[in-house]
Amino acid sequence: MMFESFRKYKALIIVIAFFQLGGCSTQQHIDNSTTLSVIDSVNGDKSVFKKSRKRIGILTSGGDCSGLNAIIYAAYKKAKALGYEVIGFKYGVHGVIHNQYIVLDDRICNADILQKSGTLLKSSTKVLTDNNGKLLSKAEADCEIIKRYHEMQLDGLIYIGGNGSIGAIKNILKKDTSLNIVGIPKTIDNDIANTETAVGFATVSEVVCNAIENIISTAQSHERVFVVEVMGRDAGYIALTAGIATGADVILIPEKKYNWENLVKKVEQSYAEKKYAIVIVSESVESEEMKHKSSKLSDALLRKEYGGIAKVIAKNLKKSGLDAKSVNLGHIQRGGKTVVADRLLGQKFGVQAVNLINQQNCGCLLGYQNNQVIGTNMNDIKTTTRNLKVTDEDVILASNLGIYLGE
């Protein structure tokens, strides 16, 4: 009887063994259903591009910041409700050019990611190259993005980035007006035009304020002057916002020149009153003895290298007889638990981006003005960057509080 049972199920046993040995288990099929094979695609298997439903691509370009995952989460939720498949390109534009992506699903885009800084799609600030490692010019990179957009049969692309990314979007749309691209502003520097705030700025402000407050307790205990260097590149928004919020005595920003004698006078005055002083300096500020250098990333791309101005200022304050120390907050500013403001702003942007793609109303940059999400046509954007002006409310506020901002 046992022998008869074996003969009866022999064929089934052989089939199961074949699939197990061939690596085709049911579990593997489920796992691979949300991650399209990069190798197969590169080797010319175009089956992954067969379009059975509407498809939206999304990428996070350039440096990381808080709130990116909130954008991705909301875009996926809204797109799913409208019947779209969402392709997440890894490592920003690199993923588009080199065919690296995942298909987003409920397992990846769950509510746990809302509080997490960084980006689940990863990002990269490296120069762009082709599959052979050859450096790509901006024009060549634009053409590659357009090519991949059509190969992937995308109905739209959500391009999350800073002012450099916005310039790239403008150039891409000039070359191919058929593309449905929506730009979303993100940067800790908050230096993007056509929006009052960018995703990531609220969290970095909170992180920097917390760090400065920790430094203040040490400054009070040891009766010292601390010079704190913060990020921001060519804009002083982080330094100004955090400096005002923590009661700094001096705030140095790249938009304003400063006089060394007047700076020292202010620090000495503050120290005489409370036996400590706090100087906040934006990373791109320079001194007579320290000018920032540019590094060559490619034939067409130069990038200034910032870092170290706080150390120079502290050293010179010591020469003036003050007990001064420097602190460079560095990359801790880019992390931290995402604050509520960035979670909400990111989700508002994510939902609106999908709505615009669904309405075929694209080629625009989203922004936040007067407590609402607005869209600006890329053709109407004259500049992609913004900087602090003497007429800005917070610049005037700092002056009214007696903070030294320069001349």
Side-chain angles (χ1 to χ4, degrees):
M1 185 174 180
M2 185 178 298
F3 180 73
E4 290 294 326
S5 297
F6 175 77
R7 285 201 307 172
K8 181 177 181 181
Y9 294 104
K10 180 179 178 181
L12 179 59
I13 292 171
I14 291 172
V15 170
I16 293 174
F18 170 79
F19 278 103
Q20 290 294 336
L21 289 172
C24 300
S25 68
T26 304
Q27 182 61 45
Q28 287 178 319
H29 174 72
I30 293 173
D31 291 343
N32 289 336
S33 66
T34 57
T35 305
L36 302 186
S37 170
V38 177
I39 296 175
D40 286 347
S41 300
V42 171
N43 288 341
D45 180 1
K46 300 299 181 181
S47 62
V48 294
F49 301 133
K50 290 180 180 177
K51 191 172 180 182
S52 59
R53 56 193 297 199
K54 298 181 293 183
R55 181 178 293 151
I56 292 175
I58 186 169
L59 65 88
T60 53
S61 179
D64 68 310
C65 67
S66 293
L68 295 177
N69 289 327
I71 300 173
I72 297 167
Y73 172 86
Y76 166 73
K77 287 286 187 180
K78 184 61 181 178
K80 179 185 175 183
L82 294 174
Y84 287 92
E85 175 184 61
V86 182
I87 303 296
F89 292 101
K90 300 181 71 175
Y91 311 109
V93 175
H94 290 265
V96 181
I97 293 174
H98 296 289
N99 199 30
Q100 296 173 300
Y101 56 89
I102 58 175
V103 181
L104 301 185
D105 59 17
D106 291 339
R107 176 179 55 85
I108 297 170
C109 292
N110 60 73
D112 291 342
I113 69 174
L114 291 173
Q115 64 177 301
K116 294 180 180 178
S117 291
T119 166
L120 68 86
L121 294 176
K122 312 298 182 183
S123 195
S124 175
T125 54
K126 296 179 181 178
V127 294
L128 296 172
T129 60
D130 63 16
N131 290 326
N132 297 317
K134 173 183 170 293
L135 290 177
L136 294 174
S137 67
K138 290 183 179 180
E140 290 172 331
D142 293 344
C143 291
E144 286 295 316
I145 293 170
I146 293 170
K147 176 184 174 183
R148 293 292 297 139
Y149 181 102
H150 291 299
E151 284 183 350
M152 293 290 290
Q153 301 179 51
L154 298 179
D155 294 286
L157 176 64
I158 300 173
Y159 201 128
I160 309 167
N163 43 51
S165 297
I166 297 165
I169 296 171
K170 285 174 63 69
N171 290 331
I172 291 168
L173 290 173
K174 286 178 182 178
K175 291 180 173 70
D176 189 340
T177 58
S178 72
L179 273 57
N180 292 324
I181 302 179
V182 177
I184 294 181
K186 67 86 196 170
T187 175
I188 64 169
D189 307 329
N190 207 36
D191 61 347
I192 299 178
N194 299 288
T195 185
E196 293 172 1
T197 185
V199 172
F201 181 66
T203 302
V204 73
S205 299
E206 190 74 18
V207 169
V208 171
C209 283
N210 288 338
I212 293 171
E213 287 165 358
N214 290 339
I215 292 168
I216 287 174
S217 62
T218 294
Q220 292 170 332
S221 298
H222 292 270
E223 297 186 343
R224 282 181 179 146
V225 177
F226 270 88
V227 184
V228 184
E229 182 174 326
V230 301
M231 288 181 169
R233 296 204 64 78
D234 301 313
Y237 290 98
I238 297 175
L240 182 63
T241 300
I244 292 173
T246 56
D249 303 291
V250 174
I251 302 172
L252 301 181
I253 56 177
E255 292 90 343
K256 294 197 73 172
K257 301 291 184 181
Y258 66 95
N259 176 276
W260 180 252
E261 287 73 24
N262 290 340
L263 186 156
V264 173
K265 183 179 178 180
K266 174 61 182 178
V267 173
E268 289 176 335
Q269 177 188 342
S270 297
Y271 188 85
E273 292 173 353
K274 56 186 181 177
K275 297 302 180 184
Y276 80 95
I278 300 295
V279 177
I280 309 299
V281 56
S282 186
E283 62 182 351
S284 63
V285 170
E286 296 181 327
S287 68
E288 288 185 3
E289 63 197 271
M290 180 184 178
K291 305 297 181 182
H292 297 293
K293 299 178 180 179
S294 296
S295 60
K296 189 174 182 179
L297 300 181
S298 69
D299 291 337
L301 184 60
L302 291 174
R303 185 176 180 85
K304 280 191 175 181
E305 295 180 346
Y306 294 137
I309 185 61
K311 189 174 182 179
V312 173
I313 291 174
K315 181 187 71 174
N316 289 332
L317 286 173
K318 281 185 178 182
K319 292 179 181 179
S320 300
L322 292 158
D323 183 8
K325 297 282 187 181
S326 67
V327 178
N328 188 337
L329 297 183
H331 282 79
I332 66 168
Q333 296 164 88
R334 308 197 80 97
K337 187 176 181 180
T338 304
V339 301
V340 171
D342 274 332
R343 299 188 204 187
L344 292 178
L345 182 60
Q347 291 188 74
K348 289 174 182 177
F349 280 155
V351 167
Q352 184 61 7
V354 173
N355 281 334
L356 289 175
I357 289 173
N358 190 53
Q359 298 163 8
Q360 296 291 301
N361 183 16
C362 300
C364 73
L365 171 68
L366 295 184
Y368 198 69
Q369 297 180 16
N370 299 318
N371 296 316
Q372 62 180 347
V373 176
I374 57 97
T376 303
N377 191 289
M378 284 293 178
N379 294 326
D380 297 329
I381 295 177
K382 305 303 180 185
T383 179
T384 61
T385 61
R386 67 172 187 145
N387 293 85
L388 288 166
K389 302 183 292 294
V390 294
T391 55
D392 285 351
E393 184 178 24
D394 285 349
V395 173
I396 296 171
L397 173 61
S399 297
N400 286 331
L401 291 171
I403 299 171
Y404 180 75
L405 276 176
E407 307 307 309

